[in-house]
Amino acid sequence: MSQRVARKRGERVRAILTTAAELLGERGYEDVSLEDVAERLDVTKGSLYYYFASKDELVTAAIETLGTDWTDRLEALPVAGPPAERLRALLREHIRIAVREYPAALRLFLVPDDWPAEQQARIKALRRRHDGVFRAVVEEGLRSGEFAVVAVGPTLQAMHAAMSQAPVWVRGEEQIDQLADTLMRLVRA
Amino acid sequence: MSQRVARKRGERVRAILTTAAELLGERGYEDVSLEDVAERLDVTKGSLYYYFASKDELVTAAIETLGTDWTDRLEALPVAGPPAERLRALLREHIRIAVREYPAALRLFLVPDDWPAEQQARIKALRRRHDGVFRAVVEEGLRSGEFAVVAVGPTLQAMHAAMSQAPVWVRGEEQIDQLADTLMRLVRA
Amino acid sequence: MSQRVARKRGERVRAILTTAAELLGERGYEDVSLEDVAERLDVTKGSLYYYFASKDELVTAAIETLGTDWTDRLEALPVAGPPAERLRALLREHIRIAVREYPAALRLFLVPDDWPAEQQARIKALRRRHDGVFRAVVEEGLRSGEFAVVAVGPTLQAMHAAMSQAPVWVRGEEQIDQLADTLMRLVRA
Amino acid sequence: MSQRVARKRGERVRAILTTAAELLGERGYEDVSLEDVAERLDVTKGSLYYYFASKDELVTAAIETLGTDWTDRLEALPVAGPPAERLRALLREHIRIAVREYPAALRLFLVPDDWPAEQQARIKALRRRHDGVFRAVVEEGLRSGEFAVVAVGPTLQAMHAAMSQAPVWVRGEEQIDQLADTLMRLVRA
DNA sequence: CATGAATGAGGTTTCATTCAT
DNA sequence: AATGAATGAAACCTCATTCAT
């Protein structure tokens, strides 16, 4: 395949994934049909199968796109300053993304046990990377004595759960701040 | 309708709701069909329509049953002792129920926006009562100065989110304790 | 389920199987869609799924119907007289059924290896019974010294293959007789 | 078209046909998609349409290739010796090819009635030539008095049917011999 | 009250075919 | 000559819902 064609294909795939990620983030797995994705892209269902072998594969790739994009934005935040400040910034940005762009994203990471192993693995890897961003800051704070936790794992899980479910009730900037500050208590020394 | 008949009907309805609540708590909305419910009850699908006008209505009522049952069990815990002790007991019991009995319950409370208004309202009311159990203890602790929070609302939301999503990763008693202790930090003075 | 209802259901199932068997006998597995079956029955596809869990299951049951019907007719032939006479009668009847009623039946018994085990087993059982009718007569002739064969298995296989494929070229009564007489040579002493 | 170009084209066509014939012989018409053929050739589906106007046309041509190849191999057998010996050799070779190389070939010759007339004709012609190889030996045996049959046509049809369906049940060299010997009975004087 | 039957809309998937490049 | 892309029809299957009995 020529370079030009490969690039074209990459663009096409990216367009599909972006669209699918949007829809999935808005409505969740069960409420998005391939017809929906195809329609928003103005192509037919059949075309999607030219790029992806099944709905699950498309969805997995889209979740990866969504998750990677999300993590990228978190990693793009400034890395200077004390851990507390950086963690609060991460929390706020995460909540903002969840509330504004991916209200249904939570469900996507609750992968059913009966998914193909490969796809479960991919999503778990994604979660791990995403997690890593927070974990790094938390551990830094722990080392410097600025933070204290019961255990790192449950702390991060609690943070993520709270942030991901935020779209259900958070309205407005003020609540975002309150939630972020509330979660900061989980690590305060 | 005679009293006897009304009672009979009530029993029947209760049986349906209990069964539906079980299944919904196990698998979530999309993975439970009316056929599943009917089969576990040893009844036909058609019969369910005698008691409920639609799947959504049945599901709403079942969620109510599940939620009420859940709240009842929390309210049955001892009410004596300092707020911290009582709150920790509530957290542990809540997590235990989530992990052991209703692993898919979380999704049930993420009601899609396009549900009929009446049913959204019912589920919200349910959540409010459920919330109340925790809120009461938290507010008591705040009054006595034993607790401190950023804001009560976000604190409770964060707790619930973390507990509800626990089935995804919690394994074993130790992790339950760790999560409960972690969440206690949200209110510690 | 009441007796009356059970009988009704049985009739319905029988109607479906008969229709499916007809179509399968005419056109073979790949060229019969559930839509075809449904249409000839004047019902919707969905209804078929009320009685059968999948196309394979319906097809297997239909093949069983077809095969059983076929075998029944062979077994209904007179059992008196010398083996040679009876075998020739069997051959002629078999060819007649194949040519007139089930031109595509051959393919149905060429079950792909990737069929569910249960269904493969059912069809094999069917073939065994069908085979048994011929085998009995052949073995009787062998015992009486009227027949002689190289080996019973290949002899029966050859007979069946030739008869089943007859629809492709047999036209008219005369060819039926010729084929039957030709196949008689396989056992003549 | 220059000679060189024509030769190139011929080679390409031959490669396609050989590959298609292989696949068809292995799996049959319905279980071979153009994608399969293209993939095994390391070419795209679109290219096939440059050489063939439709799947049916490609398949017909491939069947011709397969049939011709098959017949060629039969014709390559020694032509000396008594007809009985030669016929047995033909039978054994035919069965061997069917069992080892073209297990699904039988179905290919059961051409559906709704195929375009031209293609039906081509396949029939093919069968006639294939048939001719056996017919010649049988007729020679008849003339010499070594063989006797009820009628030549049905005899040949029965032989072919039995041999073609052999892949379904024949396992091992011994069964090949038994089937060949069994079929020899069809012509024995 | 409850059942068995039937429906119909919608979902995922496959694949022969077309076509601009 | 060949490719990558796209299409659209048709296949199998699921399930909430309706209804006569």
Side-chain angles (χ1 to χ4, degrees):
Chain A
M1 191 168 6
S2 82
Q3 272 220 323
R4 203 184 95 81
V5 170
R7 202 183 57 241
K8 270 261 176 182
R9 183 186 177 89
E11 280 167 22
R12 202 86 194 80
V13 166
R14 176 144 305 271
I16 294 172
L17 291 179
T18 306
T19 300
E22 265 173 38
L23 283 165
L24 288 167
E26 289 166 23
R27 306 191 210 150
Y29 182 90
E30 304 281 358
D31 291 338
V32 174
S33 73
L34 292 188
E35 184 61 45
D36 294 335
V37 179
E39 195 184 355
R40 193 175 282 194
L41 281 162
D42 207 33
V43 285
T44 59
K45 271 180 294 184
S47 304
L48 301 180
Y49 279 90
Y50 180 68
Y51 295 97
F52 298 94
S54 69
K55 183 183 181 185
D56 280 4
E57 214 188 75
L58 167 51
V59 167
T60 304
I63 293 176
E64 251 168 348
T65 294
L66 181 157
T68 301
D69 171 52
W70 195 324
T71 311
D72 285 349
R73 288 167 67 176
L74 296 179
E75 286 179 341
L77 291 177
V79 294
E85 212 164 276
R86 282 162 53 207
L87 182 57
R88 177 178 287 110
L90 279 175
L91 292 172
R92 288 175 55 176
E93 181 68 2
H94 191 292
I95 298 165
R96 221 178 258 122
I97 295 172
V99 171
R100 297 211 188 127
E101 286 159 68
Y102 302 128
L106 170 60
R107 274 177 287 187
L108 296 176
F109 296 96
L110 301 178
V111 179
D113 291 342
D114 56 344
W115 267 43
E118 192 214 343
Q119 287 158 49
Q120 279 197 43
R122 280 164 67 188
I123 293 184
K124 281 186 181 165
L126 194 66
R127 275 230 298 253
R128 212 166 302 123
R129 183 189 156 209
H130 187 86
D131 225 59
V133 179
F134 287 84
R135 183 179 294 267
V137 180
V138 168
E139 286 178 343
E140 189 187 323
L142 289 173
R143 276 194 303 276
S144 72
E146 227 175 318
F147 291 167
V149 298
V150 173
V152 177
T155 300
L156 292 172
Q157 295 281 1
M159 277 180 179
H160 284 302
M163 293 188 294
S164 301
Q165 210 175 340
V168 174
W169 60 275
V170 167
R171 299 284 173 273
E173 226 28 59
E174 194 198 9
Q175 285 181 318
I176 292 179
D177 283 346
Q178 287 183 341
L179 179 55
D181 289 337
T182 295
L183 294 177
M184 284 305 291
R185 296 184 60 103
L186 290 172
V187 297
R188 209 176 305 167
Chain B
M1 191 174 357
S2 82
Q3 274 222 323
R4 207 186 90 78
V5 169
R7 201 181 59 244
K8 265 267 177 184
R9 181 186 177 87
E11 281 167 21
R12 205 87 193 80
V13 166
R14 176 143 303 271
I16 294 171
L17 292 179
T18 305
T19 301
E22 266 173 40
L23 284 165
L24 288 167
E26 289 166 22
R27 306 191 210 149
Y29 181 88
E30 304 284 355
D31 291 338
V32 173
S33 72
L34 291 189
E35 186 61 46
D36 294 333
V37 177
E39 195 184 354
R40 193 175 282 195
L41 280 163
D42 207 30
V43 162
T44 59
K45 254 190 302 191
S47 304
L48 301 181
Y49 278 87
Y50 182 74
Y51 297 99
F52 299 94
S54 70
K55 185 186 182 186
D56 280 2
E57 211 186 80
L58 166 52
V59 166
T60 305
I63 294 175
E64 254 169 345
T65 294
L66 181 157
T68 301
D69 170 54
W70 196 323
T71 312
D72 285 349
R73 288 168 66 175
L74 297 180
E75 287 179 339
L77 292 176
V79 294
E85 213 165 274
R86 282 163 53 208
L87 182 57
R88 177 178 287 110
L90 278 176
L91 292 172
R92 291 174 54 174
E93 180 68 4
H94 192 291
I95 298 166
R96 224 179 255 121
I97 294 174
V99 170
R100 298 211 187 125
E101 286 159 68
Y102 302 128
L106 170 60
R107 275 177 285 188
L108 297 176
F109 296 96
L110 300 177
V111 179
D113 290 342
D114 56 345
W115 268 42
E118 189 215 346
Q119 288 158 49
Q120 281 197 42
R122 280 164 67 188
I123 294 183
K124 281 187 181 162
L126 191 66
R127 277 231 298 255
R128 212 164 303 123
R129 181 189 156 209
H130 186 85
D131 227 59
V133 179
F134 287 84
R135 183 179 295 267
V137 180
V138 168
E139 285 179 343
E140 188 187 323
L142 288 173
R143 276 194 302 276
S144 72
E146 225 176 319
F147 290 167
V149 298
V150 173
V152 177
T155 301
L156 293 172
Q157 295 282 2
M159 277 180 179
H160 285 303
M163 294 187 293
S164 301
Q165 208 177 339
V168 174
W169 60 276
V170 167
R171 297 286 172 273
E173 211 55 35
E174 193 197 9
Q175 285 181 320
I176 292 179
D177 283 346
Q178 286 183 344
L179 179 55
D181 288 338
T182 296
L183 295 177
M184 283 305 291
R185 295 183 61 104
L186 290 173
V187 298
R188 204 164 307 161
Chain C
M1 194 170 1
S2 82
Q3 274 221 320
R4 204 184 95 81
V5 170
R7 203 182 57 242
K8 269 259 174 184
R9 182 186 179 90
E11 280 167 21
R12 203 86 193 80
V13 166
R14 177 144 304 272
I16 293 171
L17 292 178
T18 306
T19 301
E22 266 173 38
L23 282 165
L24 288 166
E26 288 167 21
R27 306 190 210 151
Y29 181 88
E30 304 282 358
D31 291 337
V32 173
S33 72
L34 292 188
E35 183 62 44
D36 294 335
V37 179
E39 195 182 356
R40 193 175 283 195
L41 282 161
D42 207 33
V43 284
T44 58
K45 269 181 295 185
S47 303
L48 300 181
Y49 280 91
Y50 180 69
Y51 295 98
F52 299 94
S54 69
K55 184 183 181 185
D56 280 2
E57 214 187 79
L58 167 52
V59 167
T60 305
I63 293 175
E64 251 168 349
T65 295
L66 180 157
T68 301
D69 171 52
W70 195 324
T71 312
D72 285 349
R73 288 167 66 175
L74 296 180
E75 286 180 340
L77 292 176
V79 295
E85 211 164 277
R86 283 163 52 208
L87 183 56
R88 176 178 287 109
L90 279 175
L91 293 171
R92 290 175 52 175
E93 180 69 3
H94 192 293
I95 299 164
R96 222 179 258 121
I97 295 173
V99 171
R100 297 213 187 125
E101 286 158 69
Y102 303 127
L106 171 58
R107 274 176 288 186
L108 297 176
F109 296 96
L110 300 178
V111 179
D113 290 341
D114 56 345
W115 266 45
E118 192 214 344
Q119 287 157 51
Q120 278 196 43
R122 280 165 67 188
I123 292 183
K124 281 187 182 164
L126 193 67
R127 276 230 297 255
R128 211 166 304 122
R129 182 188 157 211
H130 187 85
D131 224 61
V133 179
F134 287 83
R135 182 178 295 267
V137 180
V138 168
E139 285 179 342
E140 190 187 323
L142 289 172
R143 277 193 303 275
S144 73
E146 224 175 319
F147 290 165
V149 298
V150 173
V152 177
T155 301
L156 292 172
Q157 295 280 3
M159 276 181 179
H160 285 302
M163 293 188 293
S164 302
Q165 209 175 340
V168 174
W169 60 275
V170 167
R171 299 285 175 273
E173 209 57 34
E174 193 196 8
Q175 285 181 318
I176 292 178
D177 283 348
Q178 287 184 341
L179 178 55
D181 288 339
T182 295
L183 294 177
M184 285 303 293
R185 295 184 61 103
L186 290 173
V187 298
R188 204 163 307 159
Chain D
M1 192 173 357
S2 83
Q3 276 222 321
R4 205 185 91 80
V5 170
R7 201 183 57 244
K8 265 266 177 183
R9 181 187 177 87
E11 280 168 21
R12 204 87 194 81
V13 165
R14 176 144 303 273
I16 294 171
L17 293 178
T18 306
T19 301
E22 265 173 39
L23 283 165
L24 288 166
E26 289 167 20
R27 306 191 211 150
Y29 180 88
E30 304 283 356
D31 291 338
V32 173
S33 71
L34 291 188
E35 185 61 47
D36 295 333
V37 177
E39 195 184 356
R40 194 175 281 194
L41 280 162
D42 206 31
V43 163
T44 59
K45 255 189 302 190
S47 305
L48 302 180
Y49 278 88
Y50 182 74
Y51 296 99
F52 299 94
S54 70
K55 184 184 181 187
D56 281 2
E57 210 186 82
L58 165 52
V59 166
T60 305
I63 293 174
E64 254 169 346
T65 295
L66 181 158
T68 302
D69 169 54
W70 196 323
T71 311
D72 286 349
R73 288 167 67 175
L74 296 180
E75 286 180 340
L77 291 176
V79 295
E85 214 164 274
R86 282 163 51 208
L87 182 56
R88 177 177 288 110
L90 278 176
L91 292 171
R92 288 175 55 175
E93 180 69 2
H94 192 291
I95 299 166
R96 222 179 259 122
I97 295 173
V99 170
R100 298 212 187 126
E101 286 159 67
Y102 302 128
L106 170 60
R107 273 176 287 188
L108 296 176
F109 296 96
L110 300 177
V111 179
D113 291 342
D114 56 346
W115 267 41
E118 191 215 344
Q119 288 158 48
Q120 280 197 43
R122 281 163 67 190
I123 293 183
K124 280 187 183 164
L126 191 67
R127 276 231 299 255
R128 212 165 301 121
R129 183 190 156 209
H130 186 86
D131 227 59
V133 179
F134 288 83
R135 182 179 295 267
V137 180
V138 168
E139 285 179 344
E140 188 186 325
L142 288 173
R143 276 194 302 276
S144 73
E146 227 176 315
F147 291 166
V149 298
V150 174
V152 177
T155 300
L156 292 172
Q157 295 282 3
M159 277 181 179
H160 284 303
M163 293 189 293
S164 302
Q165 209 176 339
V168 174
W169 60 275
V170 167
R171 299 283 172 275
E173 232 19 67
E174 194 197 9
Q175 285 181 319
I176 292 180
D177 284 346
Q178 287 184 344
L179 179 55
D181 289 338
T182 295
L183 295 177
M184 285 304 292
R185 296 184 60 103
L186 290 173
V187 298
R188 209 178 304 165

